[in-house]
Amino acid sequence: MFKINVSDFYKDSDHNDYPPACIRALKASEKYEQAEIFFEKGEYHVYDDTAEEFFSRICNNDSVMRKALFHIVGRRNLTINGNGSKLITHGRLTPFIIDQCECVMVKDIAVDVIRPFYTEATVLSVCGDELKVSIDQEHFPTEVRGENLLFTSDRWECDGTLGTILVQEFDPATGAPAVYSKTSLAAIGDGVQNTENLPVPLWRLRAERLNDHEFVLRGKRTYDPKIGNILVMTHEIRSVGGMLIFDSKDITAKNVTIYQSAAMPFLAQFTENVTIDSCTVIPAEGRTISTNTDAAHFVHCTGTVTVENCRFENMMDDCVNVHGMYTVVDKVEDHKIYLALIHYQQKGINMYHKGDYITVYDKETLEVVARQEVVDSYLPNEDVLVVEVASTVGICGGNIAENIERMPRVILRKNHCGNNRPRGFVVSTSKEMIIEDNVLYNYQNCIDIPGDAKYWFETGGVRSVVIRNNIFILHNSYQANAAVKVKPDFDCPIDNYHQNVVIEHNHFFGNNPRLLDTRCVDGLVFQNNTYRAPLVDETGMEVYRIRVANCENTDIQEVE
């Protein structure tokens, strides 16, 4: 393996900005069959001025122009070795984008941002429709123009009126989401936009600046946060990630730390065999959250997805998310199925390859009405995906479709994940899934095996799951979530949407008595698990340990 030192490609004319050196080093590595690009251990500031910019579509993210430090395309047998270095990014810059590659590894490197893509506001007082907060202007610079709140840096500003500010209350004493707090969206200012079909309630506010660091936010809220707690407000679209992987094979991240990102620190889409090993997503010292999104996200990957020995904490979304995509049949013409891409973060994405199989379900019964091999697929525009098949018999408008085979085997092992806003592992795959030896301490469900045909349109039913030897540290939350949830997030008419789920030898601790919530599972085993906590609950909501509905072939053993 030929080794290339990034510092050898640095020029005085780069003025302490390292993207040009990285681009030159990447170009120089192309002539070698096996190459390692390495950093001498140190701290490197990288600015988005000279980085390569290109357009990309990524599921569960925004389709925008992106800038990359390393934009690796069509390469084989390449390693990026940080040797323990730290990259400090300035502006909207994604460190690693890997596209159509094979056998690529990124290792031993940490990434942080000079100005986080979120802002912290400490609650000073709450009185009627007035919320008084303090914002540290050194770390989270903000401005008020008219009654609009703008989040700023020396390279960008974000408008608070877009209705995409996610607000979560955190308790500074625990560093975790505050007990009984409620996640909301916020639009702050005049001319509020984007307020339809929102997944959580919206705060409509107007801003007034009292002095350098104190502000009053007036308007409608869904609840009153506690004085002294921190309101985290994420204000960047899902545009700047950590390590984005597309249409590749055998990709590994090892000993990679991401301290802050606007989009997923680790995201793989349509990739075979992805390993995230001994990686960390945590807040930098003095900050409350790490990433604005999930820590690791996998969409229609194949082979094996492995996440092990990782620590993911203080995210504003889930720890690990594995899923495919549902689409809705718009119409059928001849041998063509026209699929509507419903969610705006699915637009322009083709999840079918020639030789794949499209499975189509009746929208009312979820019975399979057709399974056809894909002859061809293409996108006439970003809203519609056309799939050509040999026969469209039985298929009609309104049916639900998915690519059930293009999914991975999943291994989630020896990870510590928690102190984040919603859930731990949100995982659905038609292949084998093993979840073992993890420690999970999440605000909502620690493990959620869903199926969503109403908002995110994320597939789907599982067929073989083992959840064993995990430690669940449970917290009360306003939503009264169970530690393990196995049920679709829509009104499912069948009893075998999920199949063959074994939950055994796990240990449950904490003050939430709800251990298991299941629905529409055929083949459910819950045995040899232990629970250590009083059967109490202060939310006033339904108290249960195990809840089973519309399931078949169950073997439920009470916890010890």
Side-chain angles (χ1 to χ4, degrees):
M1 179 180 291
F2 191 85
K3 296 194 174 185
I4 297 172
N5 188 342
V6 172
S7 295
D8 290 342
F9 293 85
Y10 176 78
K11 299 178 180 179
D12 291 340
S13 59
D14 293 335
H15 303 294
N16 294 318
D17 183 19
Y18 271 81
C22 294
I23 293 170
R24 295 179 198 120
L26 184 61
K27 181 66 176 177
S29 71
E30 291 178 354
K31 62 177 111 174
Y32 303 103
E33 291 186 3
Q34 293 186 328
E36 177 182 285
I37 299 173
F38 71 91
F39 289 85
E40 297 175 0
K41 185 175 182 179
E43 185 173 281
Y44 298 83
H45 287 258
V46 289
Y47 298 79
D48 64 358
D49 302 285
T50 54
E52 182 180 356
E53 187 173 23
F54 60 97
F55 181 81
S56 61
R57 295 187 183 275
I58 308 171
C59 186
N60 294 80
N61 284 259
D62 291 281
S63 297
V64 294
M65 297 296 293
R66 286 179 167 81
K67 293 185 176 182
L69 180 61
F70 286 97
H71 186 199
I72 307 168
V73 182
R75 298 294 304 277
R76 299 181 74 251
N77 303 317
L78 178 67
T79 297
I80 308 293
N81 185 355
N83 283 314
S85 294
K86 185 176 185 180
L87 304 179
I88 308 294
T89 65
H90 296 248
R92 295 178 167 117
L93 182 64
T94 297
F96 307 101
I97 296 183
I98 299 167
D99 189 2
Q100 303 172 67
C101 293
E102 185 174 346
C103 298
V104 172
M105 173 184 284
V106 177
K107 67 177 186 178
D108 299 330
I109 198 163
V111 181
D112 199 1
V113 298
I114 198 72
R115 196 316 188 183
F117 296 106
Y118 79 96
T119 292
E120 298 184 13
T122 301
V123 179
L124 300 179
S125 66
V126 180
C127 182
D129 68 350
E130 290 194 354
L131 175 64
K132 185 178 178 181
V133 299
S134 174
I135 300 176
D136 182 338
Q137 294 302 297
E138 179 181 357
H139 297 102
F140 305 103
T142 49
E143 296 180 14
V144 172
R145 296 179 192 165
E147 294 181 309
N148 293 4
L149 186 65
L150 290 96
F151 308 95
T152 64
S153 79
D154 62 345
R155 292 175 171 267
W156 51 257
E157 66 176 36
C158 290
D159 186 346
T161 67
L162 294 179
T164 55
I165 301 170
L166 190 63
V167 181
Q168 176 63 52
E169 181 184 354
F170 278 77
D171 184 343
T174 63
V179 176
Y180 310 131
S181 60
K182 299 181 181 181
T183 303
S184 305
L185 286 166
I188 308 174
D190 301 315
V192 171
Q193 309 169 52
N194 191 35
T195 59
E196 296 183 358
N197 193 29
L198 299 177
V200 295
L202 178 70
W203 293 6
R204 294 177 178 270
L205 307 173
R206 296 176 184 272
E208 178 187 353
R209 189 170 204 152
L210 301 179
N211 53 48
D212 176 66
H213 63 279
E214 292 185 352
F215 301 79
V216 171
L217 305 177
R218 295 185 177 89
K220 179 182 177 182
R221 300 185 309 277
T222 53
Y223 82 105
D224 292 338
K226 182 180 177 181
I227 294 173
N229 280 354
I230 294 171
L231 293 181
V232 166
M233 299 180 286
T234 65
H235 39 69
E236 180 75 13
I237 62 173
R238 291 185 171 188
S239 59
V240 184
M243 183 174 172
L244 308 182
I245 308 160
F246 316 126
D247 300 289
S248 296
K249 181 179 180 180
D250 299 330
I251 309 299
T252 301
K254 188 173 179 64
N255 294 322
V256 176
T257 297
I258 306 292
Y259 290 107
Q260 221 288 300
S261 63
M264 288 75 171
F266 303 99
L267 183 144
Q269 177 173 285
F270 309 129
T271 293
E272 180 181 354
N273 301 328
V274 184
T275 300
I276 311 297
D277 182 11
S278 303
C279 292
T280 304
V281 177
I282 58 172
E285 185 176 356
R287 294 189 196 146
T288 298
I289 70 165
S290 52
T291 177
N292 297 9
T293 60
D294 304 331
H297 201 105
F298 306 90
V299 183
H300 274 304
C301 290
T302 56
T304 301
V305 166
T306 303
V307 180
E308 59 185 352
N309 306 310
C310 293
R311 180 185 172 198
F312 298 153
E313 292 185 331
N314 292 78
M315 294 76 62
M316 283 288 278
D317 216 321
D318 308 314
C319 298
V320 177
N321 197 325
V322 182
H323 66 89
M325 288 185 282
Y326 280 128
T327 52
V328 177
V329 177
D330 181 47
K331 64 180 180 178
V332 177
E333 291 182 355
D334 298 326
H335 297 286
K336 296 179 180 180
I337 307 170
Y338 288 77
L339 301 173
L341 299 170
I342 303 297
H343 194 274
Y344 74 97
Q345 290 179 340
Q346 286 183 348
K347 303 293 187 182
I349 296 175
N350 185 349
M351 69 287 296
Y352 292 96
H353 295 186
K354 182 178 180 180
D356 287 350
Y357 283 84
I358 181 171
T359 302
V360 183
Y361 306 91
D362 182 274
K363 65 178 180 180
E364 301 297 337
T365 67
L366 287 187
E367 293 181 358
V368 175
V369 298
R371 182 178 181 272
Q372 288 286 324
E373 184 175 356
V374 176
V375 176
D376 193 13
S377 64
Y378 59 92
L379 292 152
N381 56 63
E382 68 171 11
D383 298 312
V384 177
L385 169 60
V386 179
V387 177
E388 295 186 9
V389 295
S391 172
T392 58
V393 173
I395 304 172
C396 64
N399 287 159
I400 305 296
E402 70 170 321
N403 188 342
I404 195 170
E405 281 84 8
R406 186 170 286 277
M407 294 298 292
R409 178 174 181 259
V410 176
I411 299 173
L412 306 176
R413 178 187 294 138
K414 296 183 178 179
N415 303 291
H416 283 65
C417 298
N419 281 356
N420 60 308
R421 177 186 67 86
R423 302 161 294 183
F425 300 151
V426 185
V427 283
S428 294
T429 180
S430 57
K431 305 297 173 62
E432 179 189 29
M433 180 157 53
I434 299 172
I435 303 174
E436 62 182 0
D437 300 317
N438 302 283
V439 180
L440 300 172
Y441 38 104
N442 312 100
Y443 180 62
Q444 296 180 11
N445 309 110
C446 295
I447 296 176
D448 186 359
I449 300 176
D452 178 1
K454 64 179 182 179
Y455 184 77
W456 288 103
F457 287 85
E458 296 176 356
T459 62
V462 297
R463 296 296 175 263
S464 176
V465 180
V466 176
I467 301 170
R468 64 188 174 210
N469 299 324
N470 301 284
I471 295 175
F472 298 94
I473 302 173
L474 311 180
H475 302 281
N476 272 331
S477 74
Y478 76 100
Q479 291 182 333
N481 295 280
V484 179
K485 169 179 161 285
V486 187
K487 64 180 186 180
D489 292 333
F490 59 96
D491 187 14
C492 182
I494 59 175
D495 294 341
N496 63 347
Y497 182 85
H498 294 303
Q499 299 172 23
N500 305 316
V501 178
V502 177
I503 305 166
E504 61 183 4
H505 302 290
N506 300 284
H507 305 283
F508 298 86
F509 302 87
N511 60 4
N512 182 353
R514 304 168 187 86
L515 310 185
L516 176 66
D517 187 8
T518 65
R519 181 165 54 87
C520 304
V521 183
D522 183 3
L524 171 66
V525 176
F526 186 87
Q527 63 184 12
N528 299 317
N529 300 289
T530 63
Y531 173 59
R532 294 290 180 268
L535 185 60
V536 296
D537 183 80
E538 299 173 2
T539 64
M541 296 186 179
E542 180 185 357
V543 174
Y544 60 87
R545 287 197 180 182
I546 298 171
R547 183 164 63 183
V548 178
N550 299 335
C551 294
E552 299 178 346
N553 302 308
T554 63
D555 181 4
I556 306 296
Q557 182 184 93
E558 284 296 324
V559 290
E560 300 176 5

